[in-house]
Amino acid sequence: MFRSFFPEPRVFFPAALAWTALVMFIWFVFGAALEPYFSLGPAIAIQPTDADPAPFFNNDRVWLYEFVILAGYLFCIPWLFFKRSRWYWWSVVGSVTIIEVVYFNVQISAWLNDWYGGFYDLIQTALSEPNTVTLEQYFGFIWTVAVVLMVSITILVLNAFLNAHYLFRWRRAMTFYYMANWKSVRHIEGAAQRVQEDTKDLSSIVENLGLDLIDSIMTLIVFLPLLWTLSSNITELPWIGPVDGSLVWVALVSAIFGTVLLASVGVRLPGLAFHNQRVEAAFRKELVYGEDRDENARPPSVRDFFRNVQRNYFRLYFNYTYFNVARYAYLQAATFLPYIALAPSIVVAAITFGLFQQIFQAFGQVHSSFRFLVSSWTSIINLISIYKRLAGFESNMPKDHIYANDYDDARYLESWDKVPDPPTQTTEIEFQWALVREPQADRPESGQVTVWYDFTDKSRFPNSQTTDKTFPYDKELADAVRSAMDRVRGGEQVTANLRYFEQPERIKFEISGPGEAKGEAEVSHGDVEKPLARIRPIDLSFA
């Protein structure tokens, strides 16, 4: 999942965390001392004026952005030489660029919080003291925020374009990482869905959740000190009294409560979502087989498959019902939390309207960051489900599997001849009967050989009954089963060998009998303990 795109993930991601901790330490300890020597602020910063006493792009922000940009792209340099990936410019440089934009957006939010405080104080002054605020002052605020937002919008649009390409490149890398080993995994239930759909969903969810997590952490770094400072204006908390940093503690306790609540009521959801994909895959495969095979997608089988889908969805709906009750109740209650916390300060007029807006905005930022898990729980459930499916999918690759990650990678183009078929097992079956359908002249693929049999090894298949399976038409196999049917008519017990290989969600086998005729077919099954759960017993009839 990650190795296909990122260079040595077990080293890359810890290194990224360590580098982040190091540059934060340098910034907070040595940042001010380094500024006079390295900052470009005196050359490019916007200096304060009477019309704009607090410009956005001031000396401090120039030095901050300069430091963050340098720190980010310096991290990219070692990976240009160490374990360099084919996708270096996207996985390393692209990741850093996207994170830099997230940080810039958090800084915009922090600046807007200050701007709202001043702007709403200006409005309060204008409404309470007529003619004390001029139009120049009023529109000066509007012009300042308009310029900042225009730059922000432009960057966010470009970043959205970069994100879209970033996700597709990651999906492309995963797709051909799996396709290079397709012969080893193609027999797993839903293999096509793993490659086509789960790679797309995984890259999208991981990136979105990852960016949300990074955004939450950066928001806490920026807004926690601000909210702690603003809390000094709060006289007391209802029913508790004065508390240092009161709003920070309110946000933290509320987020912890919501996280524990939803984790408790939603503990079953990842497993149900995982099982849901399995029954959907089985239903879809039956329909796909039914496009070319008459014995598939018949009313009884479609009814049974759809009942399984329905049963799982109804179970999922029930579990989501009480989960949603807890989620929506908590989110609605959390909306009114800052109003309740600020009530004693509001009723004694201890804060201005502008300060109220600043506190409200800062509390919202900190509270939403603390409750990251609450807000993202549905996506996390889907991610866990996809991860379980892809982890099981990857577990079937041989330890010496081929590493390729693009469609023009020579290792991928040569992989088909290099990947061996999985090892096979053989068991004896008792041949019961067969039905041979000759191919039509204009439809060679319409020929089929359906074989009825039973397993003789009851220790390996203790609950087996007479089972049928349809093979593509093969003249040698057709002649062999006709010979076997003649022997059955004569009262003879006919046995054959069933050769198969086993994986967690699929068995593929070849059947050999009189004349050593062989054919191939695929059979789905639920797990190792019930290896042929999809093979259904039938009553035999003879023409």
Side-chain angles (χ1 to χ4, degrees), residues 36 199 241 295 301 309 363 521:
T199 55
E295 76 277 6
S301 63
V309 172
F363 181 87

Side-chain angles (χ1 to χ4, degrees), residues 30-93:
F30 304 107
L34 295 173
E35 182 176 1
Y37 301 101
F38 299 102
S39 176
L40 299 175
I44 64 175
I46 299 174
Q47 302 305 320
T49 62
D50 293 337
D52 188 7
F56 175 76
F57 205 58
N58 57 25
N59 284 322
D60 290 340
R61 284 198 174 85
V62 168
W63 171 232
L64 174 63
Y65 296 154
E66 181 185 345
F67 183 85
V68 170
I69 290 171
L70 283 173
Y73 290 112
L74 281 174
F75 175 74
C76 300
I77 294 176
W79 302 102
L80 186 62
F81 307 100
F82 174 72
K83 299 289 185 179
R84 179 169 177 172
S85 166
R86 184 186 185 95
W87 296 101
Y88 167 81
W89 292 103
W90 287 99
S91 63
V92 180
V93 180

Side-chain angles (χ1 to χ4, degrees), residues 152-172:
S152 175
I153 290 169
T154 302
I155 293 175
L156 290 177
V157 169
L158 293 175
N159 193 54
F161 180 80
L162 174 64
N163 279 351
H165 279 271
Y166 178 92
L167 292 178
F168 192 83
R169 261 65 174 194
W170 189 2
R171 176 189 176 186
R172 179 169 143 189

Side-chain angles (χ1 to χ4, degrees), residues 4-5 177 204 226 236 242 283 293 322 454 485 507:
S4 61
F5 191 58
Y177 181 81
S204 178
L226 177 61
E236 60 180 281
F283 180 46
R293 303 178 183 178
Y322 62 78
D454 192 11
M485 286 190 287
I507 286 179

Side-chain angles (χ1 to χ4, degrees), residues 224-241:
L224 264 180
L226 177 61
L227 185 61
W228 188 279
T229 302
L230 291 172
S231 295
S232 63
N233 298 286
I234 306 305
T235 57
E236 60 180 281
L237 292 177
W239 310 294
I240 297 176

Side-chain angles (χ1 to χ4, degrees), residues 37 47 59 79 82-83 122 146 171 174 198 234 264 356 362 398 412-413 450 466 474 503 510 534:
Y37 301 101
Q47 302 305 320
N59 284 322
W79 302 102
F82 174 72
K83 299 289 185 179
L122 184 75
R171 176 189 176 186
M174 275 192 289
D198 284 349
I234 306 305
S264 300
F356 168 80
Y412 165 65
L413 297 175
T450 302
T466 300
D474 176 84
Q503 292 183 324
E510 297 178 355
R534 192 181 166 196

Side-chain angles (χ1 to χ4, degrees), residues 340-359:
I340 297 172
L342 291 170
S345 302
I346 292 174
V347 297
V348 299
I351 55 176
T352 65
F353 185 56
L355 186 57
F356 168 80
Q357 287 293 333
Q358 270 190 285
I359 293 172

